[in-house]
Amino acid sequence: MDTAQALLSSVFGFDAFRPGQAEIVGAVVDGRDTLAIMPTGGGKSLCYQLPALVRDGLTVVISPLIALMRDQVQGLQAAGVAAGALTSGNTDEETDAVFAALSRGELKLLYMAPERLASGGTLPLLRRSGVTLIAVDEAHCVSQWGHDFRPDYLRIGELKRALGVPLAAFTATADEETRAEIVTRLFDGRQPDTFLRGFDRPNIHLAFAVKDSPRRQILDFTRARKGQSGIVYCGTRAKTESLARALTEAGHLALAYHGGMEPDLRRDVERRFQQEDELIVVATVAFGMGIDKPDIRWVAHADLPKSVEGYYQEIGRAGRDGAPAETLTLFGPDDIRFRRSQIDESPAPPERRAADHARLNALLGLAEAQHCRRQTLLAYFGEAAEPCGNCDLCDTPPALFDGTTAVRKALSAVLRCDEGFGAGHLIDVLTGKATDKVRQWTHDRLSVFGVGREYDKRQWNAIFRQMMGADLVRPNPERHGALYMTEAAIPILKGEGTVTLRKDTLAVARKGPVAKALVSEEDAPLLSALKAKRRAFAEEARVPAYVVFADRTLIEMAEKRPATLDEMARIGGVGAKKLERYGEAFLSVILGAPAPEMHPARRKLSASGGGDLFDRLQDVHSRLTRGECGTLKPMSLTASQITKIVRQRPRDLDGFARLVGERQAERFGPAMIEVLGSV
């Protein structure tokens, strides 16, 4: 470690390691497989850059963030370290220079994006270049359950085996589940030396607020911090641009930054953000900026992040220099519906969607926390902490009230409605609103109908939000957001437990113009799932989505929820051909399970409206297979024969016999003709 200590000072300019760095550096220098979980701003990069200089040979660094790789290479080169990067952001001259340095054996660190591992020439190149260590930054990207999954990270384990060298993996966010997957994917299940250095960033002030004119809230927040560098995260590209314009009009220096921009323009924003002290960047949460700027003084979220991990990573960009930094995260019911629909429309398997819903619930628990936010945040990562004194809830403890009665009413509504409906429908039942859907399901006759009139719809939404945050109810991904009760709720429902709720988030907000939704809040998750299925068919056929089904058809499906192909055929816009081609697939989405198997002949009758008649004749057929007495020799009709009967509808035995034969007509004719006559 003497060499490492000397290089720490001579190359990086530090007199001493930060807490935890020395042990990690020692493990990596010794060539031991290493997994290090360190807080953002805790000095992760040094833990592989310094060993690369101590060890012989080349260290290849795999990172998903092009901008961050460029920053680190530039910083290393400025410190006199031979480093280079092979990324899609390189100019031809930069790439040629890297290849030339590799051929001369001059490089100590080579950065590359995981996507480059898919190239057939990468492995031979690395073998020729004398790689002796693999370093993996943002190692949580290997987790298929995580919010930042990168499929090409799955190739890193193969690279380790092919090169036969040690691997050091680093991340700032990895819960127990993700850490286990990192070990499996990167280390072939063999436990590496693991260092868990804590997640606390005590210099960052944490704050959440319910949305109430969110643009004004962001403008107010930035006005109070004018002249400081900051980042605003938004949920969509369009919002980054509109909010950047609003900030500019308010007198700030602000630029949008998202994945749809031209590379040169993105690079210019990155350069300016690093160099200009007062610049605000408005970026999409889905696009990691990867900028190593230590003096970002604040981070704001105009929309709810995807998960606690995503939130922690994004706020972690603030205050990397250890000086005080601030955060603000806005959230509201539209955010929650948007995130729920993103999960429900995902092609991921049901168990992953359920895990994503659970992660979102954990974030809602942080947003609706009643006591110190840092305690809640660190508890998610398995750490205990005292109240921090540096969050909005420590600054101003929220007013609380006994919400046991309200929660018990809500849980009763969940159960009385058979755990088959979302918050919107349940609130209509609780507030006594006899909507068409409430009457359709006769929920206006339930004992819980109208028992919650003491709260309005917005207040009940806040109660359900807090119930989800406390994990008393969860959305069922197989039933498109329908809420079901968890084990934790049973004592409360039985009167054996109590619930404390926050009063401030129940306050009535100022009303403004509200966009009319295509469907009710209750039906929105199902409509999202139906649109996802439509998009898949449209992409496969390379046709516009409306060619599969028009929006109004999907809206009617979401509202009426047909349970059979016969009911599906009565939806406007579902003709015979589309029913045959798409009916079962869309019915499976609505049912949350595969559509019941059906004879092809019976399926075709659904479109013509003869399906119900076919089923009635099939019942007669089953009853008379051995005659009225049940002792005769078995006799049967084929599905094709029953289909002919449905289509031609004979009114006498002669006509019936011409379709199926004399003997069959004698057995089945009278009873079936009676059914036909009743239609």
Side-chain angles (χ1 to χ4, degrees):
M1 286 295 290
D2 290 343
T3 303
Q5 187 73 49
L7 290 171
L8 177 69
S9 175
S10 63
V11 176
F12 297 96
F14 300 126
D15 294 330
F17 288 105
R18 295 186 189 181
Q21 282 184 324
E23 296 89 343
I24 298 170
V25 168
V28 178
V29 168
D30 290 344
R32 303 198 299 271
D33 284 342
T34 304
L35 171 59
I37 297 95
M38 306 171 68
T40 301
K44 287 191 281 96
S45 58
L46 182 82
C47 292
Y48 55 81
Q49 291 173 348
L50 183 54
L53 303 185
V54 177
R55 292 172 57 85
D56 293 331
L58 174 69
T59 292
V60 60
V61 181
I62 298 170
S63 169
L65 303 172
I66 292 176
L68 184 58
M69 286 191 276
R70 184 182 303 112
D71 291 345
Q72 291 195 8
V73 168
Q74 289 176 347
L76 288 166
Q77 290 175 344
V81 176
L86 291 175
T87 75
S88 58
N90 281 17
T91 64
D92 291 340
E93 292 77 11
E94 288 171 336
T95 299
D96 290 343
V98 171
F99 281 129
L102 284 172
S103 66
R104 294 192 299 267
E106 294 176 354
L107 286 189
K108 292 298 293 178
L109 289 107
L110 173 65
Y111 286 75
M112 62 173 56
E115 289 76 13
R116 198 170 190 93
L117 299 181
S119 169
T122 298
L123 180 57
L125 171 69
L126 296 179
R127 278 181 169 147
R128 291 195 306 271
S129 302
V131 173
T132 59
L133 173 68
I134 300 171
V136 181
D137 202 5
E138 311 294 348
H140 63 276
C141 292
V142 78
S143 172
Q144 296 185 77
W145 300 96
H147 67 290
D148 277 337
F149 173 58
R150 299 283 285 259
D152 288 290
Y153 262 66
L154 300 179
R155 302 176 186 272
I156 298 174
E158 300 171 11
L159 179 66
K160 179 185 187 321
R161 289 191 295 273
L163 295 178
V165 298
L167 186 147
F170 300 86
T171 180
T173 56
D175 56 21
E176 187 173 347
E177 179 184 45
T178 303
R179 292 200 294 271
E181 191 163 4
I182 290 172
V183 171
T184 299
R185 303 283 184 185
L186 298 185
F187 300 99
D188 291 332
R190 290 189 291 272
Q191 189 65 41
D193 284 15
T194 301
F195 300 88
L196 183 59
R197 291 307 174 202
F199 294 91
D200 194 12
R201 295 284 305 284
N203 61 310
I204 299 179
H205 184 275
L206 309 178
F208 280 71
V210 176
K211 283 186 176 180
D212 173 16
S213 185
R215 177 169 294 192
R216 176 190 56 78
Q217 289 171 286
I218 293 294
L219 290 175
D220 288 348
F221 183 80
T222 54
R223 185 183 306 114
R225 292 152 186 83
K226 190 172 178 61
Q228 298 178 0
S229 292
I231 301 174
V232 182
Y233 284 109
C234 300
T236 65
R237 295 175 179 180
K239 186 178 285 189
T240 66
E241 296 179 353
S242 64
L243 190 51
R245 284 194 297 271
L247 287 166
T248 300
E249 291 168 1
H252 299 279
L253 184 59
L255 296 172
Y257 184 59
H258 57 72
M261 296 168 59
E262 292 296 325
D264 289 344
L265 184 55
R266 285 207 310 269
R267 191 176 293 118
D268 184 59
V269 174
E270 294 162 5
R271 178 189 58 78
R272 290 186 59 185
F273 188 55
Q274 285 183 307
Q275 296 176 358
E276 299 178 25
D277 291 336
E278 301 182 5
L279 184 62
I280 298 171
V281 170
V282 188
T284 51
V285 295
F287 192 84
M289 290 188 61
I291 291 177
D292 190 17
K293 182 179 173 66
D295 58 350
I296 298 171
R297 294 274 62 87
W298 57 264
V299 168
H301 284 88
D303 299 301
L304 190 70
K306 290 183 178 181
S307 63
V308 175
E309 292 93 342
Y311 165 78
Y312 179 80
Q313 275 205 320
E314 287 144 17
I315 65 167
R317 302 193 186 284
R320 292 191 180 194
D321 55 3
E326 296 178 275
T327 68
L328 172 66
T329 301
L330 303 181
F331 69 102
D334 289 341
D335 291 293
I336 299 170
R337 283 193 292 270
F338 175 67
R339 293 301 181 201
R340 295 284 186 219
S341 67
Q342 276 190 321
I343 297 170
D344 289 330
E345 291 182 33
S346 165
E351 62 271 16
R352 180 175 172 187
R353 293 200 301 271
D356 287 341
H357 276 300
R359 290 175 190 272
L360 180 56
N361 282 351
L363 182 62
L364 295 177
L366 179 61
E368 296 281 6
Q370 299 176 3
H371 307 287
C372 173
R373 286 200 197 278
R374 187 165 270 100
Q375 285 183 310
T376 304
L377 176 62
L378 294 179
Y380 178 82
F381 293 112
E383 292 186 24
E386 295 296 320
C388 69
N390 196 28
C391 71
D392 56 339
L393 299 182
C394 284
D395 296 341
T396 308
L400 306 176
F401 73 102
D402 185 350
T404 306
T405 299
V407 170
R408 194 172 296 149
K409 289 178 180 179
L411 293 173
S412 296
V414 170
L415 289 183
R416 297 287 184 184
C417 294
D418 298 321
E419 297 184 316
F421 296 86
H425 182 85
L426 297 171
I427 291 170
D428 287 338
V429 172
L430 288 164
T431 55
K433 186 176 180 181
T435 64
D436 290 342
K437 180 171 288 185
V438 169
R439 286 193 295 268
Q440 174 190 344
W441 291 92
T442 65
H443 289 166
D444 52 336
R445 302 177 191 173
L446 295 176
S447 59
V448 293
F449 183 75
V451 300
R453 289 192 175 97
E454 69 270 30
Y455 299 112
D456 61 22
K457 182 173 183 177
R458 185 179 182 280
Q459 292 169 324
W460 272 117
N461 266 316
I463 291 170
F464 274 104
R465 272 204 321 269
Q466 294 186 62
M467 289 171 63
M468 284 190 283
D471 202 28
L472 300 177
V473 292
R474 294 180 185 173
N476 186 340
E478 294 303 300
R479 302 188 73 175
H480 312 292
L483 295 178
Y484 69 93
M485 197 175 72
T486 66
E487 290 291 327
I490 294 176
I492 297 162
L493 191 63
K494 290 182 175 180
E496 300 170 356
T498 60
V499 181
T500 301
L501 298 179
R502 285 179 56 172
K503 187 180 293 184
D504 56 321
T505 58
L506 270 64
V508 178
R510 291 177 298 176
K511 298 195 176 192
V514 179
K516 182 170 173 38
L518 291 175
V519 294
S520 68
E521 180 181 345
E522 165 67 20
D523 294 328
L526 176 55
L527 180 60
S528 296
L530 292 170
K531 285 185 174 181
K533 177 62 70 175
R534 178 180 67 175
R535 184 169 62 248
F537 277 117
E539 290 174 353
E540 182 181 358
R542 297 183 179 179
V543 297
Y546 66 81
V547 172
V548 179
F549 284 128
D551 277 352
R552 63 178 180 272
T553 300
L554 299 189
I555 290 169
E556 190 175 348
M557 286 184 193
E559 291 175 338
K560 293 187 176 179
R561 302 191 180 219
T564 65
L565 284 177
D566 300 280
E567 294 178 7
M568 178 74 79
R570 293 192 278 272
I571 298 292
V574 182
K577 191 170 184 179
K578 288 190 176 181
L579 183 71
E580 184 175 354
R581 182 178 298 175
Y582 305 121
E584 289 184 345
F586 281 82
L587 190 62
S588 295
V589 172
I590 295 167
L591 297 176
E597 291 188 13
M598 186 178 291
H599 191 282
R602 168 64 176 80
R603 187 186 303 115
K604 289 182 179 179
L605 287 174
S606 297
S608 62
D612 292 337
L613 181 56
F614 182 101
D615 292 339
R616 293 177 64 187
L617 295 180
Q618 187 71 50
D619 289 340
V620 172
H621 175 265
S622 299
R623 177 168 56 84
L624 298 179
T625 298
R626 286 184 173 271
E628 287 284 0
C629 62
T631 60
L632 300 181
K633 184 178 179 180
M635 184 181 294
S636 63
L637 298 175
T638 66
S640 297
Q641 287 175 316
I642 298 177
T643 299
K644 286 182 182 179
I645 296 169
V646 171
R647 287 178 172 163
Q648 298 191 24
R649 305 194 182 192
R651 297 298 179 181
D652 54 47
L653 280 177
D654 288 339
F656 198 94
R658 284 194 293 272
L659 294 177
V660 300
E662 294 288 343
R663 293 175 59 246
Q664 285 83 352
E666 183 180 352
R667 175 77 59 89
F668 301 107
M672 288 191 174
I673 289 172
E674 182 179 350
V675 171
L676 293 171
S678 68
V679 176

